[in-house]
Amino acid sequence: MDRQQHGARLSAQTLGALPPSVQRPAYDITQTRLGIVHIGAGAFHRAHQAVYLDDVLAQHPDWAICGVSLHSRDVRDALQPQDGLYALALLGQESHLRVIGSIRELLWAKEDAALVLSRLAEPQVRLVTLTVTEKGYCLAGDGLDLSHPDIVHDLATPHAPRSAIGYVVAGLHRRWQQGVAPYTVLSCDNLAANGHRLRRAALQFAGSLDKTFATWMEDHVAFPCSMVDSITPATDDALRERVRGELGVDDAWPIQRELYTQWVVEDRFCNERPPLEHVGVTLSTDIAGYDRAKLRLLNGAHSSLAYLGSLMDLDSVGDAMANGALCGFVEQLMRSHIAPAIALPDGMNANPYIDAILERFRNPSIRHRLSQIAWDGSQKLPVRLLSTIGESLALGRNIDALCLPIAAWMHFVRRQATRGVALIDPMNDVLTAIGVACTGNAAGDVAAFMALDAVFAPLSDDTRFIGALRHAYAVLGEGTPHVVERALSDACAA
Ligand code: CS2
């Protein structure tokens, strides 16, 4: 039977008519009230945090989300006509669809800036969360990148910001002026010590505007750290088709993720918080160990698969896991080179955690493209792999295997540049210039990359690192599939 109601769109009105196999919000979406402003309402937020909040709302209707997009209007335009509703496909052995209702309002900062700022000042907004990806924090080294065009702009016109930091601080400034209690600012991005880094950047920004206000922020605003985890492949045609068939109405932007999800949040809020512990979130006083394990093991392995696998002309994580040499190498990388170099949280054993990661990567219900993971390498590699290399060197450990994925990234940059394919990376221009100038000579090419302080400092003048990286770069030859595969087999046998 064709259930499709011709032209009908997912919305509060059509929600009741969805087939019973589709899980729906367990509350009346029209009765919820905003409690959270979320900056960066992309796929990860909608697959992760918004789902936890959908569970919270079933008991506590005052934690609905106002989702703000800073750059693109697409999410607002897709979801506003749907009353914020969208379908999430949960992919595992028993996949199912769930409609999420926690995002009650969608704003596009470029057009709705005044409304975003007024939401941020409303007392019932007690929490501001962010998923703006690594580059969205405008960081350089340990602090804010004061030469970043958005930061230069926002410091000149703080009441009309563009950046995430600019909005967070502008909202707090209004509250400070109006005597409204501050909100907690919770980063939900894959950055080590994300709350600490965001706090430093926000205080630095505020301090450049007004010292008294910055001191108030320092004393009163909490920036807890968090660790987020759920594999969320980009929406593709297969998903759109499946959702259209199963829902019986149109959804302009469904999303998908694996069944597995984890959210660990540091329990340090300066205003009320949703009862996250009731919906499967781990609240902890120290999340650094979880953070490290996830970023270094899961994300480190993901980026390794992405660059090595792309050179091998593989398309998805599933394809990469089906390649014996690559899968064997990445498993060994995690077990023998990453896990022994990092301190894990009390009670966490590396091997079962790694087993679970490998199983998640092999999930046959998911097609996660390596090209998606390869985005933003300049931002991801320092957090995911270079930090492990630095700590391994400090421990006197061998770093040869850890340098292979870094060398693969360099070959990947060179390959895309010579093919004339732009990288999705905020450093695309400089990386492409380096890639085009590469000759294949390991010493010269490594030296050119080492000039990228934002990526390689403080390792860029470490002779042990440079030696191992040159070797890894040379071992990968011209970065062609067979040579890469042989290098990985040799690395495993070594
Ligand atoms: C991936 C992550 O795209 C990427 O860089 O490594 O998005 C990864 O899927 C998530 O961090 C898993 O929690």
Side-chain angles (χ1 to χ4, degrees):
M1 186 184 75
D2 182 8
R3 267 196 256 98
Q4 191 83 27
Q5 304 172 26
H6 192 69
R9 186 95 175 251
L10 178 62
S11 69
Q13 252 195 340
T14 55
L15 194 58
L18 296 180
S21 59
V22 177
Q23 190 182 340
R24 277 168 271 175
Y27 52 91
D28 178 352
I29 64 159
T30 63
Q31 296 305 307
T32 60
R33 295 178 298 280
L34 296 178
I36 299 175
V37 169
H38 179 80
I39 304 180
F44 186 76
H45 167 71
R46 292 163 54 206
H48 187 263
Q49 183 191 331
V51 185
Y52 288 96
L53 269 304
D54 196 58
D55 288 336
V56 166
L57 287 168
Q59 305 296 329
H60 304 273
D62 57 346
W63 285 108
I65 301 169
C66 163
V68 177
S69 301
L70 293 182
H71 302 293
S72 159
R73 60 188 300 154
D74 298 352
V75 177
R76 183 199 65 176
D77 292 356
L79 298 192
Q80 214 169 48
Q82 301 183 179
D83 301 313
L85 296 168
Y86 60 92
L88 167 68
L90 291 151
L91 306 172
Q93 264 179 349
E94 287 170 29
S95 300
H96 71 282
L97 285 191
R98 173 169 176 179
V99 169
I100 304 298
S102 52
I103 306 186
R104 286 303 296 142
E105 181 173 60
L106 286 134
L107 302 176
W108 176 39
K110 292 217 163 105
E111 213 165 76
D112 308 320
L115 198 48
V116 176
L117 289 167
S118 82
R119 286 283 176 262
L120 287 169
E122 285 170 14
Q124 80 270 16
V125 168
R126 290 147 287 164
L127 177 60
V128 170
T129 52
L130 297 94
T131 46
V132 291
T133 78
E134 298 86 343
K135 60 179 178 269
Y137 291 86
C138 308
L139 300 173
D142 267 350
L144 194 61
D145 180 358
L146 291 170
S147 64
H148 191 293
D150 288 353
I151 298 299
V152 172
H153 171 274
D154 289 1
L155 284 172
T157 50
H159 303 298
R162 265 189 205 156
S163 69
I165 303 276
Y167 270 103
V168 164
V169 174
L172 287 168
H173 193 259
R174 283 197 180 194
R175 294 171 89 104
W176 174 65
Q177 282 182 320
Q178 293 165 14
V180 175
Y183 40 70
T184 302
V185 189
L186 177 61
S187 164
C188 300
D189 274 296
N190 274 325
L191 271 181
N194 51 16
H196 300 317
R197 302 198 74 188
L198 173 55
R199 176 173 190 269
R200 260 200 307 273
L203 287 176
Q204 197 180 339
F205 185 97
S208 314
L209 298 176
D210 179 336
K211 296 270 184 277
T212 322
F213 163 59
T215 307
W216 172 83
M217 258 179 69
E218 195 164 2
D219 293 343
H220 294 96
V221 185
F223 294 80
C225 290
S226 79
M227 182 275 254
V228 293
D229 191 6
S230 195
I231 292 175
T232 306
T235 299
D236 52 17
D237 288 343
L239 174 70
R240 283 197 194 90
E241 218 159 284
R242 174 181 168 186
V243 169
R244 194 172 308 123
E246 275 184 48
L247 226 48
V249 289
D250 282 334
D251 177 352
W253 201 335
I255 52 172
Q256 56 185 341
R257 68 150 228 237
E258 63 177 336
L259 280 173
Y260 180 91
T261 180
Q262 192 181 19
W263 192 11
V264 185
V265 176
E266 187 187 5
D267 196 1
R268 202 161 45 75
F269 287 68
C270 59
N271 201 325
E272 288 172 54
R273 67 163 173 81
L276 296 171
E277 66 279 30
H278 296 164
V279 295
V281 178
T282 305
L283 286 146
S284 169
T285 49
D286 179 14
I287 75 140
Y290 292 97
D291 195 16
R292 214 177 291 119
K294 195 267 171 167
L295 291 169
R296 309 284 188 87
L297 287 165
L298 187 149
N299 293 117
H302 244 177
S303 291
S304 303
L305 290 173
Y307 300 118
L308 289 160
S310 297
L311 294 180
M312 293 165 79
D313 289 337
L314 300 170
D315 187 65
S316 67
V317 173
D319 297 341
M321 294 301 289
N323 179 287
L326 180 50
C327 168
F329 171 76
V330 166
E331 176 169 358
Q332 200 175 87
L333 190 72
M334 284 195 279
R335 292 202 202 278
S336 310
H337 300 282
I338 303 176
I342 59 176
L344 295 172
D346 283 348
M348 183 192 271
N349 290 322
N351 280 328
Y353 188 68
I354 293 169
D355 292 342
I357 292 173
L358 291 168
E359 199 180 319
R360 291 168 63 194
F361 286 180
R362 287 197 188 98
N363 185 345
S365 314
I366 276 196
R367 188 173 150 74
H368 195 187
R369 304 193 70 176
L370 297 176
S371 54
Q372 182 188 340
I373 303 169
W375 293 354
D376 291 349
S378 68
Q379 313 290 302
K380 291 174 177 173
L381 290 178
V383 183
R384 298 178 174 203
L385 286 160
L386 292 164
S387 42
T388 307
I389 292 180
E391 281 160 33
S392 299
L393 286 172
L395 294 168
R397 296 183 57 85
N398 183 294
I399 57 164
D400 290 352
L402 286 161
C403 283
L404 276 168
I406 307 292
W409 174 64
M410 293 162 50
H411 278 288
F412 174 78
V413 169
R414 180 181 176 209
R415 188 186 76 175
Q416 302 304 81
T418 50
R419 288 181 180 174
V421 180
L423 295 163
I424 300 187
D425 193 302
M427 293 178 74
N428 172 54
D429 293 351
V430 53
L431 288 172
T432 299
I434 292 177
V436 167
C438 279
T439 61
N441 171 280
D445 293 357
V446 166
F449 276 92
M450 286 309 110
L452 300 170
D453 259 354
V455 182
F456 289 104
L459 291 172
S460 34
D461 49 13
D462 188 306
T463 51
R464 292 163 304 169
F465 173 59
I466 291 173
L469 189 56
R470 278 185 191 163
H471 178 71
Y473 189 79
V475 159
L476 296 181
E478 288 290 308
T480 48
H482 285 104
V483 178
V484 174
E485 188 159 354
R486 193 164 359 99
L488 296 178
S489 305
D490 291 350
C492 284

